[in-house]
Amino acid sequence: MGVLSVLNFTGEYHLMIGSYSINYLTNKIKILSKEKVSKFILVPTIDQELDQIETLLRDYSDLIDIELIKLDDFEKITEYLFKLGRDEVNNVIDRVWVNLPSKITGNSTIEYNQIKQNIFQQCQKNRIPISSLHDSANSRFHLIPTIKNEKTGIELGISTNKNGCIIGTRLLKEIEVKFWKHNHIDKFLENIVSLRNSLKQLKSQNDNINDDLWYQIGLIAQDEEGWDSSKFNEFVKEEFIKNNVQKFETASRWLAQMIQYYPLRTLNTISLKDLLQNDSNDMTESLVSNTEEKEASFAKEASLNSLLQNISEKLSADKQTIINNESTTTTTTKKQSTVKLVGSGPGSLSMLTLQAIDAIHSADLILADKLIPEEVLSIIPESKQLYIAKKFPGNADSAQQQLLNKCQEGLDKGLNIVRLKQGDPYVFGRGGEEFLQLNEYIATNNLDAKVEIIPGLTSALVGPLVADIPMTMRNVSNEILIMTGTGTGGNLPVYPEYKKERTSIFLMGLHRVEMLVDNLVNDKKWDDETAVCIVERAACEDQRVTRTKLKNLVEVVKIIGSRPPGVIVMGPAVNALVPDNGELYTIKEGL
Ligand code: SAH
């Protein structure tokens, strides 16, 4: 077994022993010289091979020193190991690559095996990393197949830890074609990295801005391994977002949120202007479907999508028949436009209703909440205009206002609009408010339009279900409470008194668990042994279910970080089907 890691080769001197596989040698020198290895000391296998590597020697003449010796001149090789390295490391060679025939491929294998073993032992004794072609017994590391974006350095690699029968290369090819190229990953990486660099430049011009925020939201150069994501979605007060410095902060937060949650297809086209504009007349141009930008078709996940398309076409056809029948009896020509507040369920395609699919397919403009997952967005046809709310915890009001403005603009143009909302529109979705506002707008402006509501499966009920929590069960729980963890304007709502036989479900609470727990335990006297379950990205592929107790909730959230969106479920039902095992917490990954 092995551990994937990233090695820094800058300035190193590498000893390349043997030139048995010219391919291997050429590739290594190409890759390693890009990684800024300063010198290669090459000991070719036999003289004749020199003409085969002539081009290599010519192209990299500054970097390659040739040493013509016999490979069984072991004394000489040992001398090279300790004499030809760079000064900073006492002239010890940094890394050794052995390129000799293996047991399987070579002819005079006995002799080579002996040479390889000797070199390996010498390296191992002196802790010099060594990699031997097709010979894991005589290697301490090896390179793996990767896909790399040269401009940004972002790289994806696969290791099968020698158990995969070269499946790594195959997998990588699939990923390259079906994911990397399909989603224009190169373009997206370059855009995001350049946006980050532009923001960094702005940041350096303003002394008031420290690194803490950038660290918190993950924009600072750092290893993802050690990043504490628990503060990523921390609530930001509205006043904070307003003045000039905060405009930069807001842009940074948006970028971070977009990187984490937006569909990849929208990340190719975001511009610095989009990030810095806080008003409502912004992102449309960059986020709406743009035919030039999208010459390649994104996310048409063949079978399921075409099935959905069929259903939708059928529904539309049925509707058309009704409309046609109606039009024979009426004389009206102008079509009434509609705004549909559509619940899109918790995030899985399988939990979209047929009515929701139909609405999406018959809309002109789709205005989506930030957290609508890519899987759901992927069924929106390319021809539809799509706008996604620019939202992070704390700017909900302005994000809501932007969507409302867009909706009103659409109504003015007589468009059919879908307001795609997560879960159910009327469960913490501001659906009620929107219903009133839109109807008022329609009435005031005397528009021929109507507002419709299409229900969706709410995360408040799906979350517990997918986490094996029966919300009601005889002798366990006879009541369900659905609450928000965040009140209006970031203030705490009034929490209820403790009641044992109840399942309490908190939405929008994960970024404020400290306050939530403090309030429940200290003010409302909840039993701190109450079982708690965090259900994140419920019903999505990367669903995560974490069980703990109320008294440990804050600590556990710090340890596991956050993977929004998530609901917190509390009460004995949490352990009704999955008994408590006494651990600080347990995690179940995936659906
Ligand atoms: N109308 C939505 C709720 C919107 S409020 C509904 O009915 O589900 C947003 C909150 O919903 C998030 O903070 C989170 O608590 C919850 N949520 C939405 N989708 C979720 C999901 N897939 N998994 C877990 N929680 C989710």
Side-chain angles (χ1 to χ4, degrees):
M1 288 298 156
V3 176
L4 287 183
S5 61
V6 175
L7 302 169
N8 181 353
F9 290 153
T10 312
E12 288 190 355
Y13 286 16
H14 289 189
L15 179 61
M16 327 282 289
I17 301 176
S19 45
Y20 165 69
S21 161
I22 305 291
N23 232 344
Y24 175 84
L25 183 65
T26 316
N27 278 337
K28 282 287 164 308
I29 293 195
K30 270 190 190 147
I31 294 172
L32 298 173
S33 59
K34 270 194 205 142
E35 293 302 323
K36 305 217 164 35
V37 168
S38 289
K39 191 170 283 301
F40 300 97
I41 296 105
L42 172 60
V43 183
T45 319
I46 38 170
D47 300 353
Q48 296 90 293
E49 282 170 2
L50 281 182
D51 7 305
Q52 293 181 45
I53 51 174
E54 219 175 59
T55 351
L56 189 65
L57 294 178
R58 196 190 53 227
D59 292 351
Y60 295 93
S61 61
D62 295 353
L63 296 181
I64 303 177
D65 283 353
I66 296 267
E67 298 291 342
L68 289 174
I69 54 155
K70 291 184 83 183
L71 286 168
D72 55 4
D73 185 350
F74 204 60
E75 256 175 46
K76 210 63 193 162
I77 290 195
T78 311
E79 191 188 313
Y80 291 168
L81 282 177
F82 302 106
K83 286 223 169 113
L84 298 186
R86 56 201 166 118
D87 292 343
E88 300 95 298
V89 289
N90 276 346
N91 308 107
V92 180
I93 284 291
D94 292 294
R95 217 161 270 273
V96 172
W97 304 88
V98 176
N99 179 5
L100 295 174
S102 68
K103 267 191 215 134
I104 314 146
T105 52
N107 304 325
S108 47
T109 53
I110 314 289
E111 188 196 334
Y112 281 129
N113 281 342
Q114 197 53 51
I115 293 173
K116 286 201 284 186
Q117 271 169 26
N118 287 346
I119 300 172
F120 178 74
Q121 277 159 13
Q122 190 64 270
C123 286
Q124 173 148 280
K125 225 187 294 166
N126 294 285
R127 310 222 178 106
I128 302 173
I130 175 167
S131 182
S132 201
L133 172 68
H134 296 316
D135 187 352
S136 50
N138 288 317
S139 296
R140 294 297 298 174
F141 76 98
H142 63 279
L143 299 191
I144 53 172
T146 64
I147 312 173
K148 187 167 187 172
N149 176 277
E150 295 294 342
K151 283 201 190 136
T152 61
I154 293 169
E155 192 166 11
L156 177 72
I158 292 188
S159 167
T160 56
N161 285 311
K162 292 186 231 100
N163 291 320
C165 325
I166 61 160
I167 203 171
T169 329
R170 169 64 204 276
L171 272 181
L172 210 62
K173 212 173 276 167
E174 295 280 319
I175 292 172
E176 186 165 18
V177 174
K178 295 192 179 147
F179 171 73
W180 197 278
K181 291 199 170 138
H182 189 72
N183 289 300
H184 301 268
I185 295 295
D186 283 319
K187 216 166 156 199
F188 137 69
L189 292 176
E190 284 158 25
N191 192 33
I192 293 299
V193 171
S194 93
L195 284 174
R196 176 191 174 270
N197 290 343
S198 311
L199 284 180
K200 197 167 151 194
Q201 222 166 348
L202 288 179
K203 178 167 170 278
S204 67
Q205 288 159 12
N206 199 322
D207 294 342
N208 293 340
I209 297 162
N210 64 32
D211 282 344
D212 291 354
L213 168 79
W214 264 39
Y215 175 75
Q216 182 186 321
I217 61 176
L219 289 189
I220 212 152
Q222 63 187 323
D223 292 332
E224 287 187 44
E225 183 189 28
W227 179 50
D228 169 12
S229 63
S230 62
K231 293 224 163 70
F232 184 74
N233 279 310
E234 203 163 61
F235 196 82
V236 191
K237 290 255 181 226
E238 279 280 312
E239 318 82 78
F240 211 73
I241 303 169
K242 293 199 172 119
N243 75 41
N244 230 348
V245 180
Q246 273 92 45
K247 193 162 178 176
F248 162 83
E249 290 203 12
T250 311
S252 304
R253 281 180 195 279
W254 269 330
L255 182 60
Q257 292 279 325
M258 284 165 179
I259 293 172
Q260 291 293 313
Y261 305 120
Y262 274 47
L264 294 179
R265 65 164 152 165
T266 60
L267 298 179
N268 297 334
T269 50
I270 298 166
S271 69
L272 189 62
K273 194 169 138 248
D274 295 331
L275 289 176
L276 290 168
Q277 264 176 348
N278 295 355
D279 61 307
S280 58
N281 295 320
D282 48 16
M283 302 250 292
T284 333
E285 270 69 48
S286 61
L287 287 185
V288 294
S289 305
N290 174 336
T291 33
E292 278 162 48
E293 278 298 337
K294 297 202 187 143
E295 60 310 328
S297 73
F298 295 103
K300 273 270 174 286
E301 296 308 339
S303 54
L304 185 51
N305 270 2
S306 58
L307 177 69
L308 293 170
Q309 182 98 31
N310 287 344
I311 295 169
S312 149
E313 275 164 13
K314 189 179 170 310
L315 285 173
S316 299
D318 290 349
K319 209 165 84 182
Q320 203 57 47
T321 325
I322 297 167
I323 293 169
N324 290 345
N325 289 344
E326 275 173 359
S327 58
T328 53
T329 53
T330 67
T331 49
T332 332
T333 46
K334 196 166 174 293
K335 242 176 70 194
Q336 188 184 40
S337 61
T338 55
V339 187
K340 292 181 180 166
L341 305 184
V342 178
S344 69
S348 147
L349 261 193
S350 62
M351 293 191 191
L352 267 184
T353 63
L354 294 179
Q355 223 184 342
I357 297 169
D358 183 45
I360 289 172
H361 280 268
S362 33
D364 306 306
L365 168 67
I366 294 168
L367 305 169
D369 281 354
K370 181 193 86 176
L371 283 176
I372 306 284
E374 187 138 19
E375 194 179 314
V376 171
L377 293 178
S378 75
I379 67 153
I380 299 176
E382 295 285 304
S383 55
K384 309 284 172 193
Q385 286 187 31
L386 168 65
Y387 173 87
I388 302 166
K390 283 163 81 182
K391 185 179 168 221
F392 56 77
N395 82 333
D397 291 339
S398 60
Q400 184 67 21
Q401 190 57 45
Q402 284 168 20
L403 286 174
L404 188 66
N405 293 348
K406 295 256 172 263
C407 212
Q408 293 173 347
E409 282 165 25
L411 278 173
D412 291 342
K413 292 181 194 153
L415 299 180
N416 282 322
I417 304 162
V418 157
R419 259 294 283 123
L420 202 54
K421 299 171 89 63
Q422 222 191 351
D424 184 274
Y426 282 174
V427 179
F428 294 114
R430 298 191 184 214
E433 293 91 319
E434 274 181 55
F435 182 87
L436 292 177
Q437 286 162 333
L438 290 168
N439 272 314
E440 192 188 320
Y441 186 80
I442 291 168
T444 327
N445 294 283
N446 214 5
L447 299 173
D448 184 18
K450 65 173 191 298
V451 186
E452 284 178 18
I453 311 290
I454 294 179
L457 281 166
T458 175
S459 61
L461 300 179
V462 174
L465 185 134
V466 295
D468 301 315
I469 301 169
M471 286 156 280
T472 64
M473 186 166 161
R474 277 175 301 162
N475 303 323
V476 178
S477 164
N478 51 28
E479 194 175 305
I480 302 172
L481 171 83
I482 299 174
M483 276 205 77
T484 168
T486 310
T488 333
N491 300 315
L492 280 186
V494 180
Y495 294 116
E497 301 298 324
Y498 177 65
K499 181 182 168 201
K500 189 161 185 253
E501 289 193 347
R502 177 203 287 145
T503 305
S504 306
I505 299 148
F506 295 90
L507 277 69
M508 298 175 279
L510 266 171
H511 56 283
R512 321 201 76 197
V513 277
E514 270 169 56
M515 283 162 118
L516 175 66
V517 173
D518 177 51
N519 205 283
L520 292 181
V521 175
N522 298 325
D523 291 1
K524 299 293 173 183
K525 307 294 172 223
W526 280 44
D527 181 355
D528 67 0
E529 290 289 324
T530 302
V532 174
C533 183
I534 305 166
V535 193
E536 291 164 295
R537 304 194 55 77
C540 304
E541 289 289 327
D542 54 347
Q543 170 180 301
R544 180 170 72 165
V545 174
T546 310
R547 282 179 158 78
T548 183
K549 293 210 162 86
L550 187 53
K551 63 178 182 191
N552 300 324
L553 182 58
V554 174
E555 183 186 352
V556 170
V557 169
K558 276 203 183 112
I559 298 171
I560 65 168
S562 73
R563 192 184 293 177
V567 293
I568 309 170
V569 188
M570 298 186 193
V574 166
N575 288 333
L577 306 183
V578 182
D580 176 25
N581 67 359
E583 303 277 328
L584 178 63
Y585 66 96
T586 58
I587 283 201
K588 194 171 160 216
E589 285 276 356
L591 264 180

